[in-house]
Amino acid sequence: MRFLPLASFLLATACVPLGTPITDPNAGRAGTQKPPEYYADKTLKYQDYAYSPDVRSVQCYVATGQPNEVLQPPIVPLGQSGAITLEFDVLGEQSQRFTAKLIHCDVDWQPSILTDMQFLNEINEFLITDYRVGTGTKTPYFHYRLRAPQVKISGNYLLVVQNQGGAPVVSRRLLVYENQVSVGLKPGIVIGGKERFTMQQLDFSVGYGAVELVNPAVEVKVVLRQNFRWDNAKYNLRPTFVRDADRRLEYQYFNFENAFPGLSEYRFFDTRSVQSVGIGVLHVNPQARPVTTAELLPETSRALTAYNQYVDANGQRVFESREYGNGATNADYFDVTFQLKSDQPAPGPVYAFGAFSDWQLKDEYKLTYDEAKQLYSGHALLKQGYYNYDFAVGGTRGANETYFEGSHYETENQYDLLVYYRPPGTRADLLIGYQMVDMNSRQ
């Protein structure tokens, strides 16, 4: 798998004096408001989720020892699950005792009926002993780190962190695959009218010549994702052709079942410095209490603009402090103000959206509309770093990113295909094939 080098998109900082500074730095600030009601629900959710407003800056990645390792999604070949690393902060001045466990899931992310010893060689309870206190920060927090255990079979896993009372604190999806089948995934050409300028199509096939699959046309299940996201993944894709002689499944569609909106390159901002204004930032107030405030430059809709090429991080973020280094424990928390100019209200609630929101429309990142100023704005408590994001409109079909961001076939995105199969007489969906491909790669 290839990923963008970290240095390629973390080079520039700039000071652009536009917009209106915040006059009351503490009015309605993040961290001073009542937490959203959904945090009261401690029911385990089989998805990437944080169960407390004190849990922040969750990252789950494959530790490679390289500078850009935090951009590696938690996907590994069988035998390398121990490289998957989970990190998160818990706000507060007192450390807590946390344990973690793995839950094996089926293709639909529901718990399987396997016992722990069928996918683990050890007791399924792991005490988190690697934790450190945030140093020299206004916002007190402890930073926790955990390596996932080795597993014996491929498939979907949910890594769950629990407190002493057994309530979930953080959950993250992990993928462990094996190459039993050959996966052919490549960029395709959208067949259609105006969609060929806005959509990106992925053509793919699954070759099973090296393995005996019973009824592969029905039993093989595939999931197609854009930028490793689950919220807009394509499920229930059935093969359109079964080449028995070639032992290959082909997936060829004509109604955009295998196409995604290309969107635009992600917006970005840099809050790694307290002493200078980073790119995308209008104003930083290090004297603000209780936390430093950062007001982002007012953004505008890109729905009707031409494509603008630049290197982004596909919605991800990296934590860092320019003054002190080591973003894990030296980066402070900023109260960040998002701003979006709009002549009229959108047809639904508007959110700041990206990996920092777990690709979910969360109340913490919901913006309010000021009709007099024709401006959406909202606050969020975010750790110092470099962030990608966009603006999404909420609706019955989930996040609508095209309303403010537009969509272009030229946009650089990453796609991956997951191939699952449950052998007859077994009780587990195995992840028997995996491939990732770049669309419009800049390499």
Side-chain angles (χ1 to χ4, degrees):
M1 295 184 291
R2 295 190 296 111
F3 300 88
L4 296 175
L6 183 64
S8 66
F9 61 85
L10 296 181
L11 296 177
T13 57
C15 178
V16 184
L18 298 175
T20 305
I22 297 174
T23 56
D24 182 359
N26 294 320
R29 287 293 172 188
T32 64
Q33 301 172 349
K34 183 178 179 181
E37 294 182 359
Y38 51 74
Y39 282 124
D41 181 8
K42 301 301 182 184
T43 304
L44 179 62
K45 298 171 178 58
Y46 292 86
Q47 62 186 69
D48 295 342
Y49 204 80
Y51 300 81
S52 168
D54 293 332
V55 175
R56 299 278 172 171
S57 308
V58 183
Q59 288 182 308
C60 192
Y61 59 92
V62 179
T64 62
Q66 302 298 317
N68 63 342
E69 66 178 7
V70 296
L71 301 179
Q72 302 271 0
I75 309 164
V76 293
L78 184 63
Q80 298 181 26
S81 58
I84 296 178
T85 302
L86 173 67
E87 298 191 45
F88 61 95
D89 293 342
V90 178
L91 305 185
E93 299 181 351
Q94 182 64 46
S95 63
Q96 301 183 45
R97 183 182 187 274
F98 294 120
T99 57
K101 67 176 182 179
L102 272 183
I103 299 175
H104 185 270
C105 298
D106 62 19
V107 65
D108 297 316
W109 289 100
Q110 294 301 308
S112 71
I113 59 176
L114 297 184
T115 64
D116 292 346
M117 295 310 296
Q118 288 178 301
F119 60 86
L120 283 175
N121 285 319
E122 51 193 317
I123 297 176
N124 195 5
E125 183 178 67
F126 309 96
L127 179 64
I128 301 179
T129 58
D130 185 353
Y131 62 92
R132 293 168 290 168
V133 64
T135 304
T137 60
K138 289 183 184 179
T139 301
Y141 66 87
F142 279 80
H143 181 77
Y144 294 83
R145 187 172 185 269
L146 170 72
R147 285 287 187 99
Q150 289 284 2
V151 298
K152 296 193 290 187
I153 63 174
S154 64
N156 294 343
Y157 290 89
L158 190 75
L159 181 61
V160 183
V161 177
Q162 300 174 311
N163 62 19
Q164 285 185 285
V169 175
V170 178
S171 57
R172 279 297 181 272
R173 290 178 172 183
L174 319 179
L175 297 174
V176 179
Y177 67 91
E178 48 191 326
N179 292 312
Q180 293 190 28
V181 296
S182 61
V183 181
L185 177 67
K186 63 181 181 179
I189 299 175
V190 175
I191 301 176
K194 63 181 181 180
E195 289 85 3
R196 69 181 184 274
F197 301 110
T198 62
M199 304 288 283
Q200 293 179 340
Q201 179 171 303
L202 286 305
D203 296 334
F204 55 94
S205 63
V206 176
Y208 54 96
V211 60
E212 288 295 330
L213 302 183
V214 178
N215 196 7
V218 175
E219 299 299 332
V220 171
K221 299 179 180 180
V222 299
V223 178
L224 184 62
R225 301 190 302 170
Q226 181 188 57
N227 294 327
F228 314 109
R229 293 167 52 176
W230 292 103
D231 63 297
N232 63 349
K234 305 282 189 179
Y235 295 89
N236 302 317
L237 298 174
R238 295 295 183 184
T240 52
F241 297 98
V242 180
R243 309 292 186 185
D244 287 329
D246 299 328
R247 300 183 64 81
R248 186 173 74 252
L249 304 175
E250 293 184 357
Y251 298 76
Q252 299 177 11
Y253 303 104
F254 302 96
N255 294 315
F256 311 116
E257 291 95 333
N258 56 336
F260 293 78
L263 301 176
S264 298
E265 308 297 351
Y266 284 90
R267 303 174 193 262
F268 52 88
F269 66 88
D270 184 350
T271 55
R272 291 177 291 168
S273 177
V274 177
Q275 300 176 2
S276 62
V277 176
I279 192 168
V281 179
L282 170 66
H283 178 71
V284 174
N285 183 3
Q287 282 75 44
R289 293 291 186 271
V291 296
T292 298
T293 61
E295 183 181 4
L296 303 187
L297 289 168
E299 298 282 347
T300 58
S301 174
R302 300 187 290 181
L304 301 178
T305 61
Y307 172 70
N308 184 17
Q309 177 179 323
Y310 53 85
V311 176
D312 69 356
N314 290 334
Q316 297 298 317
R317 75 273 199 249
V318 178
F319 305 125
E320 186 183 351
S321 169
R322 281 196 178 276
E323 284 77 24
Y324 304 105
N326 188 16
T329 55
N330 290 337
D332 207 344
Y333 278 82
F334 282 14
D335 188 303
V336 177
T337 300
F338 293 90
Q339 301 187 89
L340 172 63
K341 296 178 181 178
S342 180
D343 295 339
Q344 60 186 3
V350 177
Y351 300 81
F353 191 66
F356 63 82
S357 69
D358 288 337
W359 301 108
Q360 297 163 20
L361 301 176
K362 291 185 174 181
D363 287 350
E364 292 101 311
Y365 308 105
K366 187 176 181 179
L367 309 183
T368 57
Y369 186 66
D370 187 321
E371 190 170 358
K373 296 181 180 179
Q374 295 185 328
L375 181 73
Y376 278 99
S377 64
H379 303 278
L381 187 66
L382 298 173
K383 198 172 187 178
Q384 281 184 271
Y386 173 90
Y387 285 78
N388 275 190
Y389 74 102
D390 64 16
F391 294 105
V393 179
T396 56
R397 296 185 178 182
N400 177 2
E401 296 167 87
T402 62
Y403 184 85
F404 284 115
E405 305 301 338
S407 187
H408 308 275
Y409 74 95
E410 303 100 326
T411 304
E412 185 275 330
N413 287 299
Q414 292 175 306
Y415 294 90
D416 62 350
L417 186 71
L418 317 175
V419 182
Y420 296 89
Y421 178 70
R422 178 177 294 193
T426 66
R427 302 183 295 173
D429 292 320
L430 304 179
L431 184 51
I432 62 171
Y434 176 80
Q435 187 176 356
M436 190 275 291
V437 66
D438 283 329
M439 178 77 76
N440 300 321
S441 174
R442 309 304 182 210
Q443 301 296 317

